[in-house]
Amino acid sequence: MSSSATVTATFALAALLALASFAPAGVLALAVVLVGALVAAGWPQLLDLPARRSTTALLAAVALAAAAAAALGARTGRLEGTRSTGVLDVLPAVAAMSLLAAFVHQLLRTDGRPRLVESVTGAVTGQAVVVLAAAWVAVPSTYAGPPLAPVVLAAVVTAGAVCATSWPLRVAGPVALVAGAATGWFAATLVVLLGGAGVLSHPRWGLAGLVAGLGAGLLVAAWRAQVARLPAVHALPAALAVAAAPVALAGGGAYLVGRLVLL
C-alpha cells in the first residue's frame, strides 16, 4: 500500500468522523469503533507481534468497550451551561481493565509465550491508541461543539499529506507543523464565517484552530518518524493501522482543546 493510498485512507476516516460528529453519539461511537477496528487489525503485523489473531481480538474488544463507555457517558452526562461534563468518566476504568486484560491475554496463550515483554508492550500501546480514539465521542459535548472535530481532522489530514511526500523528516516535520497550524486556523475561521461558532468568539476559535493544528502536525510527524522504517509499514493490514492511528490519537488532543483552550 503506497504512501498516497495511506493518506487517502486517513482522509476517508477523517471525513467519516467529521460527518459523524454532527450525528447522535451512538453513530459517532460506531465510527470510532471502525477506526479502532482498523488499528486492531493491523497493529500486530505493524509491530511484528506474536499471537497476532488474539492480539487483534483484544484490541478490537477494547476499542468497542471504550467507544461504548463514551457513548453511554454522552447520554448520561451532566449539562453545565453550553457543555456536558462526565462524558468520559468511565473511560479510565476501561483503560485500567484493558491493562489487566493484556496480562490475562498472555496467560491464555498456548504457544509457549515467546517474546513475552514485546507482546505485552505492543498490546498495551495499541490499547492506548484505541482508548484515546473514544475521546472523539466527547468532542461534541465541549464548548466548541461538533464543529471542532472537522477543524482538528482537517489539520491531521493536511499534516499527513505533507509527511507522505518523499521529503526527509527533517524537512517534512517542520513543514507539517506549519501546514497543520495554518489548516487548523483556516478551518476554525471557516467555522466562524459559516455561523458555527456558537457562543465562542472568532479569536478564541482562531486560537483553538492554531493550537489544534500545531498539535496535529506534531502528532503526525512523530508518528511518521516512529513507523517509517518498520518493515511492514506498506503491507495490508498494517498500512491501514498506519492510516487510522493518527486519527485515533487526535481524539484525545481534540477533547483537550475543546475543554481547556476554549474555556
Side-chain angles (χ1 to χ4, degrees):
M1 189 171 178
S2 65
S3 297
S4 59
T6 302
V7 173
T8 302
T10 299
F11 172 78
L13 293 173
L16 176 65
L17 276 180
L19 292 174
S21 66
F22 294 90
V27 176
L28 180 54
L30 288 176
V32 168
V33 169
L34 174 61
V35 173
L38 292 179
V39 173
W43 194 261
Q45 182 187 29
L46 179 64
L47 300 185
D48 190 24
L49 299 178
R52 292 184 180 180
R53 291 184 180 179
S54 57
T55 302
T56 292
L58 173 65
L59 295 180
V62 172
L64 180 60
L72 179 62
R75 291 176 59 90
T76 61
R78 301 176 297 277
L79 184 63
E80 295 182 2
T82 57
R83 66 185 176 95
S84 296
T85 61
V87 177
L88 299 181
D89 280 356
V90 184
L91 206 57
V94 173
M97 294 302 296
S98 70
L99 182 60
L100 294 176
F103 289 103
V104 173
H105 165 245
Q106 298 302 321
L107 292 174
L108 296 178
R109 286 175 59 186
T110 59
D111 58 354
R113 294 194 284 275
R115 300 157 60 197
L116 178 61
V117 174
E118 181 181 348
S119 180
V120 172
T121 304
V124 171
T125 306
Q127 288 172 346
V129 173
V130 298
V131 168
L132 282 173
W136 281 115
V137 181
V139 169
S141 68
T142 64
Y143 286 115
L148 180 60
V151 170
V152 177
L153 290 166
V156 170
V157 171
T158 301
V162 171
C163 287
T165 63
S166 58
W167 298 341
L169 186 61
R170 65 178 181 274
V171 176
V175 174
L177 286 174
V178 175
T183 301
W185 179 85
F186 178 78
T189 301
L190 190 61
V191 168
V192 175
L193 293 177
L194 293 177
V199 299
L200 302 174
S201 63
H202 186 181
R204 292 171 74 184
W205 263 105
L207 176 61
L210 186 64
V211 171
L214 281 172
L218 180 61
L219 167 67
V220 174
W223 178 244
R224 176 192 170 182
Q226 292 296 318
V227 303
R229 296 184 179 181
L230 294 177
V233 67
H234 294 300
L236 285 173
L240 293 177
V242 172
V247 176
L249 290 167
Y255 181 71
L256 287 177
V257 169
R259 287 296 301 269
L260 300 180
V261 178
L262 292 175
L263 286 175

